[in-house]
Amino acid sequence: DYFEKAYRLFLKNGFDNDAALAMSNIAKINAETNRYEEAVQGYLEANKIFYKKNHWINISGNYNSISEIYLKTNKIKKAEEYLNLALATLQNKNKFYRGPSDINTVEIYTNAARLYYRKKEYRKAMAFAKKALRLSYENSFKESIYENAKVISKIFDSQGEIDSAYTYYKTFVKYYEDFQNGYDLKRITQIRMQHEFNKLLYQKQKEEILFRSKEKRKELVYIIIIVSVFLTGIIIFLLYLNQKNISAKALLKEENLRLEKQQLENDLKYKNRELIIDRMYLIEKNEFIISITKKLMEVQKTSKKGNQEVIQQLINELNKNSTTKIWKEFEVRFKEVHGEFYKKLNKEFPDLTPNELKICAFLRLNMSTKEISTITHQSVKSINMARFRLRKKLGIDRDENLISYLSRL
């Protein structure tokens, strides 16, 4: 309300630049309260005035704020469009309005790093993050240091460069704690100064009270009580700040543990997937060997006696490489990844045969009829018939997709 009053007064009295600053603050409040459309319109309105005055720092800052709004609302294309406007505005260095520009530049580069990381354009994200980091180090912008260090750490982690990711993650943690400690120290200093001021005030009041008369003793007692309560409040507040700092560290530690646990889970899923693929290959290999064995047995019947012995030796060698345990091994691995699927299937349809369970497992992996036929060495017609019988047992309508149904279990 006060900014809007100021905006109207500035315009009325011809202070256009101050009116634009008031409008920028209104836009910022709208952005903070999730009124994004009003915020964007406010920033654009303010920039119309800033353009007339060549106030390029304010212009670039407002464009960057619009980009951050669109990034927050997942409108990536619009976010990149206004980011490019902000970056282009930074090129007008010879026309910069008075005031420091490094913080404005760092904010734009930081936003660019976040945006291109979201787009998975890691090279651009890395370049902007490093630019922002360099300026942040030069100017001791601790908040920007830990934000950009975190982005760089994530990029290295996504590329498998664990050592580099770990190095920048340590930087993130260090400056995050420094930033929090700096904020806490600032608040403690303010409280201490307030406390010293109140002590001086109390001493002066005490001397005046003693000087005037003994009748003021009651008033002195009241002041002592008030000061005691105030000091108690300060102690409680300091304890609260300390507890808050401890809680923040605990949350950070918990986040690290969660990330480590997630990484372990992802590794387990990846290994199980490899094992399943390996077992599928072995099944196909086993069926292929059986097929070759049958053909050799047919040839053996019409061959000469000497050749029959050689063929028998080949059949024996092939049989050594074939095993009936492959499906059981595959089933064990399948249950490790899709254990809940098997439990629900057996619970809801206990009358399914082992062969039907096998077909369900293959379909759960989204395999086609032809692929199942190749692996099981059954004809396509047999597989289709098995699927037909399976649909009847599962009670699936003709229009419903069997694979989609099994995927929902």
Side-chain angles (χ1 to χ4, degrees), residues 302-315:
T302 58
S303 298
K304 295 178 181 181
K305 187 174 182 180
N307 291 338
Q308 287 180 357
E309 293 178 358
V310 175
I311 292 172
Q312 186 60 46
Q313 289 177 1
L314 289 173
I315 291 172

Side-chain angles (χ1 to χ4, degrees), residues 195-233:
H195 173 58
E196 294 296 327
F197 172 78
N198 280 283
K199 281 175 62 178
L200 292 172
L201 181 62
Y202 162 73
Q203 187 64 31
K204 183 177 180 180
Q205 289 175 340
K206 180 180 178 181
E207 291 172 358
E208 288 177 355
I209 291 168
L210 291 172
F211 176 77
R212 288 176 183 175
S213 68
K214 294 180 180 180
E215 295 178 356
K216 299 289 184 177
R217 288 183 182 276
K218 289 184 180 181
E219 186 178 354
L220 178 60
V221 171
Y222 293 148
I223 292 174
I224 292 173
I225 294 172
I226 292 171
V227 173
S228 298
V229 171
F230 181 76
L231 290 175
T232 303

Side-chain angles (χ1 to χ4, degrees), residues 82 103 128 200 216 239 251 315 386 400:
Y82 281 95
I103 184 63
F128 281 112
L200 292 172
K216 299 289 184 177
L239 290 172
L251 286 173
I315 291 172
E400 188 169 3

Side-chain angles (χ1 to χ4, degrees), residues 109-110 112-117 120-134 148-159 161 164-165 168:
Y109 287 162
T110 301
R114 285 195 294 258
L115 189 148
Y116 286 116
Y117 177 78
K120 296 185 178 180
E121 295 182 21
Y122 295 137
R123 184 175 295 178
K124 286 185 178 180
M126 179 72 78
F128 281 112
K130 286 187 174 180
K131 286 181 181 179
L133 200 59
R134 178 179 57 80
N148 286 283
K150 187 175 184 180
V151 171
I152 294 172
S153 176
K154 286 182 177 179
I155 293 171
F156 278 128
D157 183 58
S158 67
Q159 295 173 344
E161 297 183 31
S164 298
Y168 279 96

